Amino acid sequence: SWMSPKNKFYEVTVLISEEDNKGRIKKNSTKYLIDAQDTREAENNTMKLMEGTMSDWEIIGINISKIKEIYLPDIEDNNENEG
């Protein structure tokens, strides 16, 4: 499993505006789980994540997550194979 080095994850909600095939703007909210020490770092990390995004977007919410640990089996398998 993977623990955040900062022991905190933030759930960041981003509102993404995209044009559909009829030229209408559709807004969809997407949630990201961001590793950060505090809300300011969560915002900065989200901005880094969204760099280069072609669509207009804005952060509409940042909340501390109750998630403390993430299990990523591919990472676990790769770490065991490297040793």
Side-chain angles (χ1 to χ4, degrees):
S1 64
W2 186 76
M3 295 273 306
S4 162
K6 297 163 179 125
N7 292 320
K8 289 184 188 174
F9 292 101
Y10 286 84
E11 186 177 280
V12 180
T13 306
V14 177
L15 188 64
I16 301 172
S17 301
E18 297 179 304
E19 192 173 311
D20 67 12
N21 57 2
K22 294 180 181 176
R24 294 179 294 204
I25 300 296
K26 291 198 163 219
K27 294 186 177 192
N28 296 306
S29 65
T30 303
K31 293 184 187 278
Y32 295 94
L33 192 61
I34 303 292
D35 180 25
Q37 187 70 39
D38 53 33
T39 54
R40 178 174 290 174
E41 186 179 8
E43 180 179 18
N44 290 338
N45 289 347
T46 303
M47 292 173 76
K48 288 178 192 173
L49 172 70
M50 298 301 290
E51 277 180 8
T53 302
M54 300 297 281
S55 304
D56 290 336
W57 60 272
E58 66 177 305
I59 296 172
I60 59 171
I62 300 177
N63 297 298
I64 195 160
S65 172
K66 292 181 180 179
I67 295 171
K68 297 294 180 206
E69 189 172 347
I70 299 174
Y71 175 68
L72 303 169
D74 291 339
I75 290 175
E76 290 292 317
D77 291 342
N78 288 339
N79 287 341
E80 289 174 12
N81 292 337
E82 288 176 9

